[in-house]
Amino acid sequence: MPRTAIEITEDLVRQLLRDQHPDLAELPLRLGARGWSNQMWRLGEDLAVRLPWVTEDASALLRKEHAWLPALPSPLPLPIPAPRRLGEPSERFPHPWLVTTWVPGTPADHAPVTRAAAAAGTLAAFLTALHRPAPATAPTGARGEPLAAQAEHVTQGLASAAAMGLLPDPDAVRAVRAVWEDAVSAPDWTGPALWIHGDLHPANVLTADGTLCGVVDFGELCAGDPASDLAAAWSLLPDGGAELFHRAYRPAPDRATLRRARGWAVMRALGGIHIGEAGRLGRPGGKTTWGPPARAALRRLTADARTRP
């Protein structure tokens, strides 16, 4: 996706604040992170400025967060960014931008979970609280829709990973394919459309002291099937954590939902493997830290497939 042609600098961010939110403009400012779609700038101790630097849909996702994050069930057991101000497009910067609360912690792709039981309980509590029926006007999106819509994307991703040697073991390729085919054959979600985060991969979940301490980047927030979020058990938790998570999550997921969740986890892991390889090769958009958790997730998923009834 194309990067914005405007270089985002400390001076630019401060000028945007002076133009539209002058009461915040003189707070200390420093770069916090460059994410997939947005840059994050720390503003004082408690706030952050998020500015899109990928221009395809990042602006719309920021507006969605501003509009809908306040509508989520509250309180949630983990901190999430709370929108405080919306910056409108201007001659200085032709995209909307957002001031939110700062959520402390380290992304899990840099500091993986090590305390499986604590993290499984925390993740289960968070998703149990989040997964409530959404209003009819809530946003929809691919992450809440039937898994079969992703079939072509996953089939191509698996074939590409095998061809590139990212999954060098033919038995592993067959095992991953079997998990995916079982997932897409599972019955679709027939319950109410629930609030889901939609993008719970390791870069969007924060850790401290070996367990989870926050969740960020709600750009894929939508209403639908919770299976997409339940996939995080294999992506985020160490060995044995997924089983602990599924025991603690309420209501206990039925077999069909777990099958679909494994499919979402396969899709997310294949994407992570490709992004990790792009990072290793120095390609735009690549992130080397995405590869190891993605590979671990596929290993857990295929091991789970061999042991479950």
Side-chain angles (χ1 to χ4, degrees):
M1 292 186 290
R3 300 293 183 193
T4 177
I6 298 174
E7 182 182 4
I8 299 175
T9 63
E10 178 181 344
D11 181 64
L12 173 64
V13 178
R14 198 172 296 282
Q15 288 299 326
L16 292 173
L17 290 166
R18 285 172 179 156
D19 291 344
Q20 299 189 36
H21 301 286
D23 58 313
L24 303 178
E26 303 311 318
L27 291 173
L29 184 67
R30 64 188 186 279
L31 180 64
R34 290 186 174 93
W36 182 260
S37 299
N38 300 283
Q39 288 194 22
M40 180 89 72
W41 289 74
R42 290 286 305 270
L43 182 63
E45 291 301 316
D46 303 319
L47 298 174
V49 183
R50 292 181 64 200
L51 305 98
W53 70 319
V54 171
T55 56
E56 186 167 310
D57 61 358
S59 296
L61 299 182
L62 279 185
R63 288 195 183 277
K64 179 169 66 171
E65 291 191 47
H66 179 260
W68 286 102
L69 279 179
L72 293 183
S74 181
L76 292 171
L78 286 171
I80 67 173
R84 292 291 184 252
R85 310 281 182 89
L86 179 64
E88 294 292 350
S90 63
E91 290 185 6
R92 199 183 298 275
F93 188 72
H95 308 286
W97 45 279
L98 198 60
V99 178
T100 72
T101 54
W102 173 260
V103 181
T106 304
D109 60 321
H110 290 269
V113 168
T114 55
R115 296 166 55 199
T122 299
L123 181 62
F126 177 79
L127 291 181
T128 295
L130 176 64
H131 290 168
R132 300 296 184 213
T137 54
T140 58
R143 310 299 171 90
E145 295 174 353
L147 187 61
Q150 307 297 323
E152 182 177 359
H153 175 72
V154 172
T155 300
Q156 291 176 350
L158 181 57
S160 174
M164 295 170 64
L166 304 179
L167 295 174
D169 183 354
D171 289 339
V173 174
R174 285 191 289 269
V176 172
R177 183 179 293 112
V179 173
W180 171 253
E181 291 175 350
D182 178 69
V184 294
S185 69
D188 290 340
W189 174 252
T190 58
L194 305 182
W195 279 121
I196 62 172
H197 179 280
D199 206 18
L200 284 176
H201 59 71
N204 287 342
V205 178
L206 307 179
T207 67
D209 300 322
T211 189
L212 308 183
C213 68
V215 178
V216 297
D217 197 344
F218 282 75
E220 298 292 343
L221 177 71
C222 63
D225 179 3
S228 172
D229 280 357
L230 300 185
W234 292 280
S235 303
L236 296 173
L237 303 176
D239 293 358
E243 183 177 358
L244 296 173
F245 165 81
H246 293 130
R247 288 178 186 171
Y249 175 81
R250 293 293 180 269
D254 60 29
R255 184 174 297 228
T257 300
L258 287 179
R259 289 166 66 191
R260 294 193 307 276
R262 292 185 185 100
W264 283 107
V266 164
M267 186 187 78
R268 199 159 287 150
L270 288 173
I273 286 173
H274 281 89
I275 292 169
E277 178 67 2
R280 187 184 72 81
L281 297 174
R283 293 175 178 165
K287 294 181 181 293
T288 57
T289 57
W290 286 34
R295 293 177 184 279
L298 286 182
R299 177 179 55 77
R300 294 183 196 111
L301 284 159
T302 53
D304 179 66
R306 290 193 295 268
T307 59
R308 69 177 183 267

